[in-house]
Amino acid sequence: MKPGVRYALMIVGAVVAGLVIVGAWTRVLERQQTLEEIARLREDLYRARVAADRCRGSLQTSEAALRDLGLAIDSMRNRVDSFETLDRRGVPADQYPDYLELFDSYNDSVEVWEGRERRLRSAETACRETIEMHNSISDTLQTVLAEAGIETR
């Protein structure tokens, strides 16, 4: 074999070997990046799940407290109504101070309930966003795992 051909074959061989090494190294780096992305997404998903669980727990507590307050307000309303039905002419004069105190308490309680109900709706909106973020991270993780050929189910 002529030295020029031998030299050309060596160069072609070196280039091919270099390309194989670069290709293999690129796949190793891509795999490492994918594994790092999976680890990051899993950490993000864990944090999002904790936040969503806390949010749900807080909502359940607030909803229960609002229901309890609603029951207390209903009871007050029944007591106000009972004062008003004692006499068809209105609340008896000797019971009017008690009636007025109860009526004012009832009105104040309704305002408190309305404020808590508005805060609860606002918290529900924030929780919905937190849960949607959790679901988005979960979907992204599933996609990355599927693309990496990692079965999750």
Side-chain angles (χ1 to χ4, degrees):
M1 192 179 286
K2 292 184 180 181
V5 172
R6 182 179 294 165
Y7 182 70
L9 285 176
M10 285 178 23
I11 290 176
V12 168
V15 168
V16 168
L19 289 175
V20 168
I21 290 172
V22 167
W25 184 250
T26 301
R27 279 183 296 219
V28 167
L29 290 177
E30 287 173 354
R31 182 72 175 170
Q32 183 61 34
Q33 288 173 341
T34 299
L35 292 175
E36 288 171 1
E37 182 179 11
I38 289 169
R40 182 188 56 77
L41 286 168
R42 284 183 173 156
E43 289 172 12
D44 291 348
L45 184 62
Y46 173 77
R47 282 192 295 277
R49 184 174 299 129
V50 168
D53 288 346
R54 283 183 186 152
C55 206
R56 270 189 235 118
S58 176
L59 281 180
Q60 289 170 347
T61 300
S62 295
E63 287 170 347
L66 192 61
R67 276 192 305 274
D68 290 346
L69 180 58
L71 292 173
I73 290 171
D74 289 345
S75 175
M76 287 175 133
R77 179 71 219 175
N78 290 335
R79 289 174 44 214
V80 166
D81 289 345
S82 71
F83 271 109
E84 293 172 349
T85 58
L86 286 174
D87 188 330
R88 63 183 174 87
R89 293 174 294 168
V91 177
D94 64 325
Q95 294 182 354
Y96 196 77
D98 292 336
Y99 164 78
L100 197 53
E101 182 180 336
L102 179 61
F103 189 78
D104 287 342
S105 292
Y106 168 77
N107 283 337
D108 292 344
S109 297
V110 169
E111 288 179 27
V112 168
W113 185 91
E114 289 170 347
R116 288 184 184 177
E117 194 270 340
R118 278 191 301 275
R119 285 191 300 278
L120 178 61
R121 298 298 156 238
S122 177
E124 284 177 336
T125 299
C127 278
R128 191 174 310 110
E129 291 170 4
T130 300
I131 290 167
E132 288 171 359
M133 178 59 72
H134 168 272
N135 293 344
S136 174
I137 293 169
S138 178
D139 292 346
T140 301
L141 177 59
Q142 291 303 316
T143 300
V144 170
L145 290 171
E147 289 172 356
I150 300 172
E151 289 188 35
T152 60
R153 308 212 192 255

